[in-house]
Amino acid sequence: MKNKILVANWKMNLSPDEEISLLKEVANLFKNNKKNIPDLEIIICPSFLALKQAKEVIKELPNFHLGAQNCFWEDKGAYTGEISPLYLKQIGIEFIILGHSERRTYLGEANEMINKKVRACLKNDLCPIICVGETFEEQQEGKRDYTIMHQTSTALEGLQVDESKRILIAYEPVWVIGRGKAVEPEQAEYANRVIQQTAIDCLPLDFVKQKMSFLYGGSIDEENVVSFKEQKTIDGFLVGGASLNPKEFFGIVLKM
Ligand code: PGA
């Protein structure tokens, strides 16, 4: 059985000091409620500036892991302002969010760039969390399936995988991110099946079944998480806004 997964994406919402205080609050909730916590992997993705200090805070929390919100596709060199996957690995980072819609929209991150970043992550034994999802216009024009199949297949193109690697894909319909209203759980389940089938078209079946997990992201909160959790193909969640409130985030944890 695959682990259940909960990813907290803090985006650029907090200062590094605020991120560390938030992480300490979350850590305390875990330490004080050990008995009630379901078995799951928690992946906290603060800003780059807080990663090293965050590593110290999570040291004694076995289910906790750290993720970065992006990386570059080369390990080192003359790439001003970029962040190396190799050096992220060296400071103890295990996961990297790639292709988030905010980066696709504001920074022009294209599918081909995301593919190069996925390769760089796998080469460095980092687990990519690839975000895919349609915009409101694409949804209205009936292009959801095409969009998520295209984004998934280009991200996974030409990858060399073996059982030492892992890949996570999060279905994140762009039009419900940060809106306070998610899609219907059945729609997320359908989209995740499309994504899973696309992954099977690109990669060995055993790898997809055993080493890939499929998440949903977009306005998940303490109230709606249970109805999504019941869906068969959804292995976990990528949570933005609700992960900034320690009680709400912990509330989601308890319902998983
Ligand atoms: P949200 O963000 O939970 O605030 O909708 C999710 C995301 O952007 O990853």
Side-chain angles (χ1 to χ4, degrees):
M1 248 232 347
K2 281 188 217 165
N3 284 341
K4 285 191 276 178
I5 297 168
L6 187 59
V7 184
N9 177 12
W10 290 350
K11 309 192 183 186
M12 203 182 71
N13 283 305
L14 302 171
S15 72
D17 286 349
E18 289 168 335
E19 291 181 306
I20 297 305
S21 316
L22 171 58
L23 188 53
K24 285 181 178 161
E25 275 190 67
V26 174
N28 281 337
L29 286 168
F30 274 76
K31 283 179 194 155
N32 298 334
N33 292 280
K34 276 193 192 124
K35 278 203 293 289
N36 307 324
I37 296 169
D39 192 20
L40 81 167
E41 266 182 297
I42 313 242
I43 304 164
I44 305 283
C45 304
S47 66
F48 289 116
L49 296 171
L51 284 173
K52 262 189 118 169
Q53 219 183 324
K55 187 78 193 156
E56 281 300 301
V57 180
I58 64 159
K59 219 163 48 194
E60 280 150 33
L61 294 163
N63 326 359
F64 276 64
H65 306 267
L66 281 180
Q69 296 174 20
N70 177 41
C71 72
F72 193 52
W73 56 77
E74 296 291 346
D75 286 350
K76 62 196 292 186
Y79 304 106
T80 303
E82 288 300 332
I83 306 273
S84 152
L86 171 67
Y87 301 150
L88 286 167
K89 177 74 185 179
Q90 284 178 4
I91 64 162
I93 306 311
E94 295 170 80
F95 296 84
I96 314 276
I97 298 177
L98 293 177
H100 191 283
S101 63
E102 286 147 15
R103 296 193 60 81
R104 293 180 191 261
T105 306
Y106 303 127
L107 291 144
E109 206 159 279
N111 288 320
E112 293 66 29
M113 293 161 73
I114 294 158
N115 176 255
K116 288 203 235 176
K117 293 180 180 200
V118 173
R119 290 168 188 244
C121 283
L122 295 181
K123 189 181 98 183
N124 285 296
D125 287 326
L126 290 158
C127 172
I129 307 172
I130 305 166
C131 300
V132 302
E134 78 287 0
T135 62
F136 182 68
E137 291 71 30
E138 286 163 339
Q139 191 256 352
Q140 291 290 298
E141 289 165 13
K143 293 191 180 144
R144 175 190 57 193
D145 292 11
Y146 171 77
T147 304
I148 58 180
M149 284 193 277
H150 183 61
Q151 289 178 345
T152 303
S153 59
T154 46
L156 301 180
E157 200 179 310
L159 301 186
Q160 300 293 331
V161 290
D162 59 48
E163 61 190 28
S164 70
K165 312 290 180 201
R166 260 179 96 187
I167 298 175
L168 274 45
I169 302 194
Y171 169 58
E172 296 216 309
V174 180
W175 48 287
V176 297
I177 291 178
R179 293 293 153 91
K181 182 153 181 18
V183 295
E184 292 303 321
E186 297 73 22
Q187 284 177 279
E189 169 67 9
Y190 171 82
N192 269 20
R193 280 174 190 263
V194 171
I195 291 164
Q196 190 182 54
Q197 184 54 51
T198 309
I200 291 170
D201 293 343
C202 299
L203 297 172
L205 180 64
D206 282 354
F207 181 82
V208 177
K209 294 262 177 226
Q210 284 154 32
K211 309 300 291 189
M212 289 188 72
S213 299
F214 299 89
L215 315 181
Y216 167 76
S219 294
I220 281 292
D221 58 31
E222 213 179 328
E223 297 299 311
N224 62 18
V225 68
V226 173
S227 54
F228 283 87
K229 183 187 105 168
E230 284 160 1
Q231 306 299 320
K232 226 173 139 225
T233 318
I234 299 181
D235 301 312
F237 303 98
L238 200 163
V239 185
S243 70
L244 295 168
N245 176 329
K247 290 213 177 78
E248 169 113 33
F249 185 63
F250 194 66
I252 296 174
V253 169
L254 293 181
K255 291 192 173 157
M256 285 198 52

